[in-house]
């Protein structure tokens, strides 16, 4: 039994990494998936993989910081498929460096992609979901929505902000049948994490192996990375949950790094 039959989903930042895994998993569960990322080229592989597996997908060039691109992207989904049931604000970037040396431009860039991007996707999606009187908003938070690490201040601040947005949407959305939840993964081996391992090693003057074992996985219960499949399984579960009982929640998937 497919869990997202008849559903229509938008996933931002779905050209690679966690977003790609979730887009493919949503499609395997029967959803039609709008695969959005910065360029059409960057989503081509995800869309091809979904279609080769017998699923239905559409490509969207959507920079989540571009107000018009987000509105037009959601309008294109509604024009093609008539509705929008699930929207996942997943696009994200990282910046490694201590607060006192942080350029304002770097701070702003991280905030814009995560927080402004999540707001723009939310606003456009809710306008459709409220008309349908149903829908599920999902946010890709992080363990860093709930606690901090050094050298990641803009990311930590933005991910905490996404938790607040998720909760506000849960309160406002209820009367329109809209649920809102945030997924909080630990470290997952994607390009976002692969890039920061040498950056953290340099900043801290330690080896890359020590960044992995002494920082990233130190507080897990088993020394293991979380996988894209772990995260996509949780996303499907949240998207398919049948009632408003599960709303305004942060769900941590981190091999026990963070326990709430
Ligand atoms: P990734 O770098 O592999 O993928 C991120 C995707 O977002 C890329 O395809 C990129 O093109 C896209 N993107 C970046 N800026 C964008 C913009 N302005 N508009 C649209 N798309 C944009 O990273 P990932 O690890 O798959 O991360 C996905 C999400 O998961 C991010 O929000 C990240 O913060 C979050 N997350 C990742 C981890 C991890 O350990 N990898 C842990 C917790 C949370």
């Amino acid at each position: 039994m497919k869990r997202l039959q008849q559903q229509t989903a938008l996933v931002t930042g779905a050209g690679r990494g966690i977003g790609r895994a979730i887009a493919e998993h949503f499609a395997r569960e029967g959803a039609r998936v709008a695969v959005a990322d910065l360029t059409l080229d960057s989503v081509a592989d995800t869309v091809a993989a979904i279609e080769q597996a017998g699923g239905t997908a559409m490509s969207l060039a959507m920079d989540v910081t571009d107000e018009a691109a987000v509105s037009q992207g959601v309008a294109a989904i509604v024009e093609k498929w008539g509705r929008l049931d699930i929207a996942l604000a997943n696009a994200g970037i990282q910046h490694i460096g201590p607060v006192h040396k942080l350029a304002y431009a770097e701070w702003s860039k991280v905030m814009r992609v995560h927080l402004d991007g999540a707001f723009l996707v939310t606003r456009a999606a809710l306008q459709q979901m409220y008309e349908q009187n149903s829908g599920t908003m999902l946010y890709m938070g992080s363990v860093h929505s709930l606690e901090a690490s050094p050298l990641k201040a803009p990311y930590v601040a933005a991910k905490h902000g996404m938790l607040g947005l998720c909760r506000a949407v849960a309160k406002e959305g209820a009367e329109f049948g809209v649920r809102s939840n945030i997924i909080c993964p630990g470290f997952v081996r994607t390009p976002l994490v692969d890039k920061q391992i040498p950056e953290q090693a340099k900043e801290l003057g330690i080896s890359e192996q020590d960044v992995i074992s002494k920082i990233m996985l130190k507080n897990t219960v088993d020394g293991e990375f979380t996988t894209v499949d772990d995260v996509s399984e949780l996303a499907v579960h949240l998207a398919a949950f049948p009632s408003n009982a599960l709303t305004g929640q942060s769900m941590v998937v981190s091999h026990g790094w963070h326990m709430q």
Side-chain angles (χ1 to χ4, degrees):
M1 170 72 176
K2 293 188 173 178
R3 289 178 283 177
L4 300 176
Q5 206 75 52
Q6 313 294 334
Q7 305 266 306
T8 295
L10 163 65
V11 182
T12 69
R16 68 180 196 202
I18 293 172
R20 175 176 176 165
I22 293 175
E24 291 186 33
H25 202 156
F26 279 179
R28 285 198 301 280
E29 294 290 347
R32 294 171 293 197
V33 185
V35 180
D37 210 304
L38 288 168
T39 62
L40 288 177
D41 271 358
S42 63
V43 297
D45 288 351
T46 311
V47 169
I50 289 173
E51 289 176 345
Q52 272 160 26
T56 304
M58 70 183 278
S59 312
L60 284 179
M62 185 194 281
D63 179 338
V64 296
T65 66
D66 179 338
E67 189 172 6
V70 174
S71 303
Q72 284 159 15
V74 170
I77 298 168
V78 175
E79 191 179 324
K80 195 173 170 83
W81 291 328
R83 53 189 296 115
L84 179 61
D85 301 293
I86 304 156
L88 168 60
N90 167 78
I93 57 171
Q94 180 58 279
H95 179 81
I96 300 298
V99 181
H100 70 291
K101 290 186 184 165
L102 200 60
Y104 182 35
E106 295 294 358
W107 168 270
S108 300
K109 195 171 159 193
V110 176
M111 298 302 276
R112 273 175 63 73
V113 175
H114 290 277
L115 212 43
D116 296 7
F119 159 67
L120 291 174
V121 170
T122 300
R123 187 181 61 180
L126 288 185
Q127 286 167 4
Q128 174 60 28
M129 289 174 178
Y130 285 6
E131 253 182 51
Q132 300 164 188
N133 220 25
S134 71
T136 296
M137 283 303 311
L138 292 174
Y139 299 90
M140 191 52 63
S142 163
V143 164
H144 288 115
S145 297
L146 303 159
E147 64 174 77
S149 295
L151 307 179
K152 295 185 176 177
Y155 187 84
V156 169
K159 289 300 193 192
H160 275 65
M162 283 174 87
L163 172 64
L165 176 63
C166 166
R167 288 174 167 166
V169 170
K171 297 257 178 182
E172 288 187 16
E175 68 175 291
F176 301 98
V178 172
R179 299 183 298 110
S180 168
N181 291 294
I182 183 164
I183 299 165
C184 298
F187 285 99
V188 183
R189 272 318 272 268
T190 64
L192 181 134
V193 162
D194 285 339
K195 180 170 173 288
Q196 69 180 268
I197 293 171
E199 290 172 354
Q200 289 214 55
K202 191 169 164 222
E203 279 286 343
L204 298 168
I206 60 176
S207 70
E208 293 187 18
Q209 188 48 46
D210 279 354
V211 170
I212 292 172
S213 61
K214 295 190 176 154
I215 295 177
M216 293 183 166
L217 304 180
K218 179 171 171 251
N219 293 321
T220 60
V221 294
D222 53 9
E224 297 280 343
F225 278 98
T226 302
T227 66
V228 293
D229 293 339
D230 294 327
V231 182
S232 75
E233 179 57 35
L234 177 58
V236 169
H237 173 73
L238 289 173
F241 197 81
S243 80
N244 273 348
L246 191 56
T247 194
Q249 301 305 306
S250 50
M251 304 285 283
V252 179
V253 54
S254 72
H255 284 255
W257 164 20
H258 182 87
M259 298 189 189
Q260 332 194 53

